[in-house]
Amino acid sequence: MSIAEGEPAAGAPAVGSSMLLEAERRTTDGGAARRHKPRRGAPGEKRWFAWVFLAPALVMLGAILLYPLVYSIVRSLFSDTPTGAVKSFVGLHNFRDIFTDSRSLQAVKNNVYWIVVVPTLITILGLVFAVLTERIRWATVFKTVLFMPMAISALASGITFSLIYADQPTRGLGNAIAIGIHDTFSSSSPYPTVQPRDTKVFVGSAKTGFTTHQSYSPGTAALLPLVGLNLTHPPSSTAQATAPSTGSGVFGVVWNDFRLGGGGTLGSVDTGERGLGGMAVQAVQGEKVVATTHAASNGQFSFPTLRSGTYQLRLPASAFGQPFGGYSWLGPNLITPAIMATYLWIYAGFAMVLIAAGMAAIPRDALEAARVDGASEWQVFRRVTAPLLAPVLMVVFVTLAINVLKVFDVVYVLQQVAGGSAGKADVLAVSLFRDFGNQQYGLASAIGVLLVVLVIPAMILNIRRFRRDQT
Amino acid sequence: MTTLAGTDIVTGSIHRGLPARIAARTGGGVLRVFLVVIALVWLVPTLGLLVESFRDPAQYANGGWWHALAHPAQLTVSNYSELLKNSSITSALINTVLISVPATLLVILIGAAAGYAFAWIDFPGRDWLFLLVIGLLVIPIQIALIPVSKLYTSLGISGSLLSVILFHVGFGLPFAIFLLRNYFAGIPRDLLEAARMDGASEAKIFFRVVLPLGMPAVASLGIFQFLWVWNDLLVALVFANQSSQPITVALIDQTRQFGSSIDILAPGAFVSLIIPLIVFLAFQRFFVQGVLAGSVK
């Protein structure tokens, strides 16, 4: 089957099943005729010849898999000298160290997170995509696009995602989007550096906002002086400030009471001093904000609707906070989720294609019979599709679980890029690699043996599945 | 059955699936927009890498690759021309080929021979041996790093291309044998019986009958193994040395200075992924088969 053949002909044998399933079907469905228990002495068959065919494979499997397995099990029971030589027999001590040493314990914890979160998430995502694309005309293109990351190296994927995770907001796509979204929903401060010079006019802090001591009534201009504007590169929203003489309602000016080179009178608007355009100003009566406005670029603002009464004026906290600078994706808090997201990007297509193949293999008759019987689409999915799909979902989940257990490349690459906070992202395979590099062979072997022990259930599952299919 | 959700609704066909129902409820637009967004999420990262690889590295400090879309003047081919002059990168690329191709061919040859024996020759202990192979499918390569590196030292092949190749062959074999044995077993026995009747040797049957008939599975295995080895990082990191390292290892050394090495990393990563990508797109069918069958690994 190919991605391009996602749609099986009605009634025809499922094109979408995997070669594995197909191969199994051949050996089983074919019945006795296909079953090959070659009779003894079949003409021309030389049984000793089997070993000629098998020899290269057995030599390689023995040298690269079986011997290392035995070696590692034995080696994991011995401690190391600093240069990696065998020091002494320590029993299971190395295994205990995995769970007591803080670095490898971090790796164990992360592996648990990975196992709990990632296979489930990817299986669900794969199922959703497989269901949604079942009858989309461009499903082929969609599946190709999603499957593509499977073909490229984890290194290339890691570099690709490093361009997204760069924590300089202007470089990384992730932060560019995060900041865009953040600024859409909450306005960021135009002047994070400005503040009152002293407490003569205002009371408060940058966190609570600054409120005037004095109350203002319509007719008199309120002068709200601040300092701290970057005068060498003043923002384009600022211009020469002008003190208003008249205005409607409560009015005034909010400006930077300092000019380049100094001079001027404190508390009055002088030439060279700039209005803080866009600064939010609130009118407050009895601790209640009754009106909000924004200053023009010359600093002037007014509340035309406030025609009587007295009001305190407040510059809200949002005007002073530091602007949102995005997230530190590869920092200690987010690095593991960030790597998981990369892994999800790589494997979602795999899950989708496998599940789509399983769905295509479901006999159409069963679905149609249910529909003819008046079952709702949800019931069909719940009662027919889901149970028939369960074995495939199981295969996807187990495959992902095994892969996640051994995950190395993606983690290692993004750790390299992250630098400082990398240790927070350790997983067992990385821990093993580092111990190997440090010539702590006993410890590294113990981690390797632990990984093997953890895949034993999958091993048994595979063997059972095979034996069942053979009988 | 190539009917679309839309026509299903028109004809009132009973083939209406869940997506068709969702489409009917939402006018189809929401579903389509959602899938387009998802497809973009999967495409944009790689496109970003492509754009960055053609960008003047001095611009990286000023902003992300998308700025180049508005300012095409930032684009240049100099990253690539510099990369091709960088002898450590070019020799690493050659090493990648020198590792991937033999590792693939050897796995096919050795795996097919064993697969044939398991499928069609009745030798004592066959079933148990095959169960062992299935058991080995899921063994993590991490277990073998230390013992095999010691083995290589005693054989005197540490750091060589051969050492990397042999490791890949070893760990590629369980899957190769599993896949090919199952496929070969489906070959009609009459064909083999006939060949044996004619007095063909086992070798002749293998090369003239089984291998040609098993080509689809061999192709799947070949592409799967090729991409696996091409994309490998860990094995090469452990076994290759300075002169035998493939492109993945040559690039990983640069990732620590990500910002200042972007002019090597972006085009280097793109060059390293373009071959697998072409292979994937050209032989998608076989690759998907290989991956699907590999879902036991």
Side-chain angles (χ1 to χ4, degrees):
Chain A
M1 92 125 231
S2 78
I3 296 179
E5 294 165 7
E7 200 77 47
V15 198
S17 65
S18 74
M19 172 172 296
L20 169 62
L21 300 177
E22 241 166 67
E24 284 175 357
R25 200 175 309 119
R26 277 171 208 242
T27 53
T28 54
D29 295 4
R34 289 268 182 87
R35 196 76 44 76
H36 54 276
K37 272 271 176 206
R39 288 142 298 174
R40 286 184 177 216
E45 189 186 339
K46 304 185 191 79
R47 286 165 62 204
W48 59 266
F49 220 79
W51 300 105
V52 178
F53 279 91
L54 284 170
L58 295 182
V59 169
M60 290 304 294
L61 290 177
I64 309 280
L65 280 105
L66 287 174
Y67 154 71
L69 206 54
V70 176
Y71 179 100
S72 293
I73 291 170
V74 174
R75 188 63 180 83
S76 68
L77 304 175
F78 291 85
S79 63
D80 310 287
T81 67
T83 54
V86 172
K87 196 173 167 193
S88 60
F89 180 84
V90 290
L92 297 177
H93 192 88
N94 287 327
F95 291 90
R96 212 192 62 195
D97 278 356
I98 298 174
F99 297 93
T100 50
D101 174 74
S102 65
R103 281 201 88 168
S104 58
L105 186 62
Q106 174 76 59
V108 171
K109 280 184 189 160
N110 280 337
N111 259 78
V112 172
Y113 294 143
W114 273 85
I115 290 279
V116 169
V117 174
V118 176
T120 311
L121 208 59
I122 295 180
T123 308
I124 291 172
L125 216 57
L127 179 64
V128 169
F129 291 159
V131 169
L132 291 184
T133 53
E134 209 190 358
R135 275 155 214 273
I136 294 290
R137 196 192 334 211
W138 43 280
T140 314
V141 179
F142 184 85
K143 286 178 182 172
T144 305
V145 166
L146 261 77
F147 199 77
M148 187 194 64
M150 279 294 287
I152 65 185
S153 65
L155 176 87
S157 304
I159 292 174
T160 300
F161 272 73
S162 300
L163 289 172
I164 292 175
Y165 293 144
D167 58 358
Q168 296 289 329
T170 50
R171 287 183 205 158
L173 185 62
N175 274 346
I177 292 170
I179 291 170
I181 291 172
H182 180 273
D183 290 355
T184 306
F185 291 103
S186 66
S187 58
S188 68
S189 158
Y191 308 111
T193 55
V194 301
Q195 56 186 320
R197 185 197 303 275
D198 48 39
T199 53
K200 272 184 198 150
V201 180
F202 292 105
V203 62
S205 71
K207 273 192 180 155
T208 59
F210 293 100
T211 312
T212 55
H213 294 294
Q214 199 187 330
S215 291
Y216 301 90
S217 52
T220 26
L223 300 178
L224 307 178
L226 297 167
V227 291
L229 184 69
N230 177 355
L231 288 172
T232 36
H233 299 287
S236 58
S237 57
T238 64
Q240 170 63 48
T242 44
S245 47
T246 56
S248 57
V250 174
F251 67 95
V253 59
V254 54
W255 86 107
N256 187 54
D257 189 18
F258 192 81
R259 63 183 178 192
L260 211 54
T265 315
L266 280 186
S268 79
V269 179
D270 301 301
T271 309
E273 295 177 355
R274 302 184 77 88
L276 299 172
M279 172 71 80
V281 184
Q282 296 174 331
V284 181
Q285 203 166 35
E287 280 309 303
K288 215 179 123 193
V289 177
V290 291
T292 301
T293 188
H294 291 88
S297 61
N298 65 1
Q300 292 188 7
F301 62 89
S302 65
F303 299 94
T305 53
L306 305 179
R307 297 190 172 278
S308 60
T310 62
Y311 305 90
Q312 282 173 293
L313 296 177
R314 176 181 293 165
L315 306 176
S318 63
F320 301 97
Q322 288 295 320
F324 175 65
Y327 301 102
S328 182
W329 299 105
L330 297 180
N333 295 326
L334 289 178
I335 184 164
T336 292
I339 297 172
M340 286 176 177
T342 311
Y343 188 90
L344 188 146
W345 180 79
I346 298 175
Y347 278 94
F350 163 79
M352 174 189 67
V353 168
L354 209 70
I355 294 169
M359 283 173 61
I362 291 174
R364 294 281 135 182
D365 300 351
L367 298 176
E368 279 162 26
R371 287 187 186 120
V372 168
D373 289 346
S376 75
E377 217 41 60
W378 173 245
Q379 283 172 321
V380 172
F381 183 80
R382 260 300 267 111
R383 299 282 164 80
V384 185
T385 311
L388 288 173
L389 211 53
V392 176
L393 295 180
M394 194 64 198
V395 168
V396 172
F397 183 86
V398 170
T399 308
L400 288 169
I402 297 172
N403 270 304
V404 158
L405 195 71
K406 307 187 275 195
V407 63
F408 174 82
D409 295 19
V410 200
V411 180
Y412 186 74
V413 174
L414 285 169
Q415 278 186 314
Q416 294 282 312
V417 176
S421 48
K424 287 289 269 183
D426 274 356
V427 288
L428 282 172
V430 170
S431 204
L432 183 151
F433 180 72
R434 194 179 32 239
D435 290 340
F436 172 69
N438 294 337
Q439 298 186 308
Q440 296 301 294
Y441 297 134
L443 209 55
S445 299
I447 296 177
V449 171
L450 178 67
L451 289 178
V452 171
V453 169
L454 291 173
V455 297
I456 283 178
M459 203 183 280
I460 294 170
L461 212 68
N462 276 338
I463 290 175
R464 272 212 190 144
R465 197 157 55 145
F466 179 77
R467 297 191 79 154
R468 189 194 58 217
D469 291 338
Q470 289 303 295
T471 48
Chain B
M1 199 178 66
T2 52
T3 47
L4 297 168
T7 49
D8 272 344
I9 294 160
V10 173
T11 58
S13 153
I14 51 167
H15 293 299
R16 286 174 61 180
L18 187 60
R21 286 289 276 267
I22 295 169
R25 292 259 170 86
T26 59
V30 176
L31 177 66
R32 217 168 296 155
V33 169
F34 174 73
L35 291 176
V36 168
V37 169
I38 294 291
L40 282 179
V41 169
W42 256 258
L43 265 184
V44 166
T46 316
L47 287 180
L49 180 73
L50 177 64
V51 174
E52 190 67 61
S53 73
F54 278 107
R55 213 161 148 242
D56 176 1
Q59 296 292 337
Y60 179 71
N62 299 331
W65 55 269
W66 58 92
H67 292 286
L69 302 179
H71 309 283
Q74 294 184 355
L75 298 177
T76 163
V77 293
S78 72
N79 293 341
Y80 282 93
S81 54
E82 288 299 313
L83 194 76
L84 293 179
K85 281 185 223 153
N86 185 333
S87 63
S88 74
I89 297 288
T90 48
S91 69
L93 266 173
I94 294 169
N95 284 338
T96 296
V97 176
L98 291 180
I99 292 168
S100 310
V101 174
T104 305
L105 293 179
L106 281 173
V107 157
I108 290 174
L109 199 66
I110 300 175
Y116 171 65
F118 278 119
W120 287 105
I121 306 179
D122 188 25
F123 58 92
R126 178 175 78 167
D127 293 348
W128 288 108
L129 210 51
F130 193 65
L131 285 184
L132 176 72
V133 171
I134 293 176
L136 292 179
L137 276 172
V138 291
I139 293 290
I141 63 171
Q142 280 88 354
I143 191 87
L145 300 181
I146 296 166
V148 173
S149 70
K150 295 207 181 243
L151 187 69
Y152 284 164
T153 309
S154 59
L155 291 175
I157 56 168
S158 287
S160 63
L161 287 170
L162 182 66
S163 70
V164 183
I165 294 168
L166 288 180
F167 192 90
H168 281 302
V169 172
F171 269 88
L173 272 178
F175 173 59
I177 297 170
F178 176 74
L179 178 75
L180 295 179
R181 179 262 173 212
N182 283 353
Y183 196 88
F184 291 164
I187 294 172
R189 84 174 282 117
D190 305 350
L191 285 176
L192 282 93
E193 294 285 298
R196 279 176 184 158
M197 290 289 206
D198 292 347
S201 66
E202 292 294 330
K204 203 166 185 181
I205 294 172
F206 173 66
F207 283 110
R208 294 284 169 80
V209 182
V210 174
L211 262 190
L213 286 175
M215 257 316 151
V218 168
S220 290
L221 170 70
I223 286 154
F224 187 71
Q225 174 78 4
F226 176 79
L227 293 183
W228 182 265
V229 177
W230 183 284
N231 290 332
D232 160 76
L233 173 65
L234 177 57
V235 175
L237 210 49
V238 170
F239 295 110
N241 64 17
Q242 201 71 31
S243 62
S244 62
Q245 64 181 19
I247 185 77
T248 45
V249 178
L251 289 177
I252 193 86
D253 291 338
Q254 310 277 344
T255 48
R256 274 181 181 280
Q257 296 83 33
F258 191 81
S260 54
S261 304
I262 193 72
D263 54 330
I264 295 175
L265 284 174
F270 202 79
V271 166
S272 89
L273 72 77
I274 195 67
I275 304 285
L277 204 61
I278 290 170
V279 170
F280 163 64
L281 292 175
F283 304 102
Q284 214 185 95
R285 216 170 89 81
F286 295 113
F287 178 56
V288 173
Q289 280 170 348
V291 170
L292 292 179
S295 62
V296 287
K297 204 170 174 181

